[in-house]
Amino acid sequence: NTGEVVHVQLIPEFSWPTEDDGPVVTASKFMCITNDEHPRLVNCKGFGTKFLQGHTDVVIACDVSADGQWIATGGKDQGIRIWSATTCRCACILAGHAGAVSCLSFPKKRPKNEKSNTGHPLWLVSGSQDKTMKIWELPRREEMQQCVDEEGTELSVEKSSATVLAHSKEVNDVSVS
């Protein structure tokens, strides 16, 4: 790509060699946003690329879940898409912003063990050029994984759990600890 690179983020991969030790974290791929409507998942070895197709306008925001399983993208089409980091398929679409989605953040708490993510909701915070921030409760991980595995229709979240008029100007960055 000869376009401007807007965002690059490694995708963590976890393994637990023993139950007594903490996780071993590695990364073999990363997300690349390049000022067009096709976010890219890039392999660190050889730089092979998979395009995440579904947005209808320029993508300007991206985040990766702390467990490395899910990728959130948002942009000028005012939509947010949740993708499987493994298959690059869209699992869920979030709708509700009235302006371009300019920033996204998953909580940064990493899993303590292989089973620590099951049963807990996955949350996402978004900021937009419409001056709002939204908190989204995503469908259960198992539901999103089933949607991706069966190549079914994407799940949909039409309303955020909370919306706040956050600023007198557009919201350009958000980070959830």
Side-chain angles (χ1 to χ4, degrees):
N1 179 31
T2 59
E4 176 184 6
V5 174
V6 177
H7 181 87
V8 174
Q9 185 172 359
L10 287 170
I11 298 175
E13 298 164 354
F14 293 87
S15 63
W16 286 265
T18 67
E19 289 187 29
D20 298 333
D21 294 333
V24 173
V25 183
T26 59
S28 64
K29 51 193 171 183
F30 63 91
M31 280 301 301
C32 183
I33 306 298
T34 60
N35 223 3
D36 65 16
E37 65 275 12
H38 303 296
R40 294 150 173 79
L41 188 130
V42 182
N43 188 322
C44 293
K45 294 179 183 172
F47 296 101
T49 302
K50 291 184 180 178
F51 291 92
L52 282 60
Q53 297 181 344
H55 282 282
T56 58
D57 205 340
V58 175
V59 173
I60 54 178
C62 176
D63 197 28
V64 176
S65 63
D67 64 2
Q69 299 299 305
W70 304 102
I71 301 163
T73 59
K76 292 185 177 182
D77 61 6
Q78 303 176 7
I80 300 167
R81 289 179 171 264
I82 309 298
W83 309 85
S84 164
T86 306
T87 65
C88 297
R89 290 192 191 114
C90 184
C92 185
I93 299 173
L94 314 177
H97 278 292
V101 177
S102 48
C103 53
L104 296 164
S105 183
F106 283 107
K108 303 302 180 228
K109 185 176 180 181
R110 291 195 168 164
K112 293 181 181 178
N113 58 52
E114 289 179 275
K115 297 179 182 172
S116 65
N117 280 341
T118 57
H120 299 290
L122 187 59
W123 295 88
L124 180 72
V125 176
S126 62
S128 172
Q129 293 178 359
D130 66 9
K131 304 175 188 172
T132 65
M133 291 176 63
K134 293 180 180 284
I135 300 173
W136 305 87
E137 182 176 358
L138 303 180
R140 289 184 9 253
R141 288 173 174 88
E142 297 80 11
E143 288 179 82
M144 291 196 299
Q145 190 61 53
Q146 182 179 5
C147 177
V148 167
D149 290 344
E150 296 175 0
E151 297 185 45
T153 303
E154 296 98 353
L155 301 169
S156 178
V157 178
E158 299 294 329
K159 188 172 192 269
S160 61
S161 298
T163 300
V164 177
L165 183 58
H167 204 277
S168 61
K169 296 184 179 178
E170 63 189 49
V171 180
N172 290 313
D173 194 25
V174 62
S175 183
V176 179
S177 60

